[in-house]
Amino acid sequence: MTNRYLVSRERFIAATPEAIFEILATPAMHSVIDGSGTVKGAQPRGPERLSAGAKFGMEMNVKVDYKILNTVCEFEEGRRIAWRHFYGHVWRYILEPATAADGTAGTKVTEQWDARAVRGKFFLRLAGYLRRHPVSIEETLARLDHHLTGTAEVNG
């Protein structure tokens, strides 16, 4: 069963889950890998590295500059990390050790935007998030891959 309020994409990256997790758990790196073009940087007073329950702010821009406070809501060191903000969307990364068809060791990285529990889903549709997130997530995964391996192509 599919749910349009759970957008999920995956990609094999030739890097260890621990190396990938280190980037995801570092808010200052989020603007480097962001494929949506909306994440501008981490707010200076937040933690340098995320942990369970950590709160961290990000500088954002969707037509106007704004700040958003996130809370880490899922955390399994080296394997899973997710955060949400006041509206309830969850951004989740799941990391699983994997081997490519050519025998290269790496990680299957799954990124998800989960808005199944959000009220006011009409506004998400109206704002176009359901159309934009699949492409943005694929671009984020490509940027993450490129940052770690230098081999993936990115569009922006």
Side-chain angles (χ1 to χ4, degrees):
M1 180 175 176
T2 61
N3 184 316
R4 64 182 173 166
Y5 296 99
L6 176 64
V7 177
S8 185
R9 296 293 186 269
E10 61 185 48
R11 182 184 187 107
F12 174 83
I13 298 178
T16 65
E18 294 78 13
I20 296 167
F21 192 87
E22 218 34 61
I23 291 170
L24 300 172
T26 305
M29 295 303 298
H30 293 186
S31 61
V32 173
I33 64 167
D34 171 50
S36 71
T38 63
V39 180
K40 300 305 174 192
Q43 291 180 11
R45 292 196 193 131
E48 288 184 29
R49 188 174 192 282
L50 301 176
S51 58
K55 295 186 183 306
F56 66 103
M58 298 301 292
E59 304 285 338
M60 307 288 293
N61 182 289
V62 177
K63 298 187 181 179
V64 297
D65 290 336
Y66 66 98
K67 298 175 185 191
I68 196 92
L69 180 64
N70 300 291
T71 302
V72 175
C73 56
E74 298 173 21
F75 189 91
E76 183 182 344
E77 184 70 39
R79 297 290 178 254
R80 181 185 199 93
I81 189 167
W83 52 83
R84 70 174 182 281
H85 60 71
F86 71 95
Y87 199 63
H89 315 128
V90 175
W91 288 98
R92 177 182 299 114
Y93 293 86
I94 302 165
L95 311 176
E96 301 172 71
T99 305
D102 67 359
T104 303
T107 305
K108 179 176 92 171
V109 181
T110 303
E111 180 181 353
Q112 297 178 334
W113 175 76
D114 189 346
R116 292 174 293 182
V118 171
R119 293 185 193 198
K121 290 181 178 78
F122 168 78
F123 295 109
L124 298 176
R125 291 190 308 273
L126 187 65
Y129 289 120
L130 302 178
R131 287 187 318 275
R132 288 194 305 266
H133 281 326
V135 173
S136 295
I137 288 173
E138 288 172 7
E139 183 64 18
T140 296
L141 292 172
R143 288 172 176 269
L144 179 62
D145 191 349
H146 181 74
H147 182 78
L148 286 155
T149 69
T151 58
E153 290 187 29
V154 294
N155 295 321

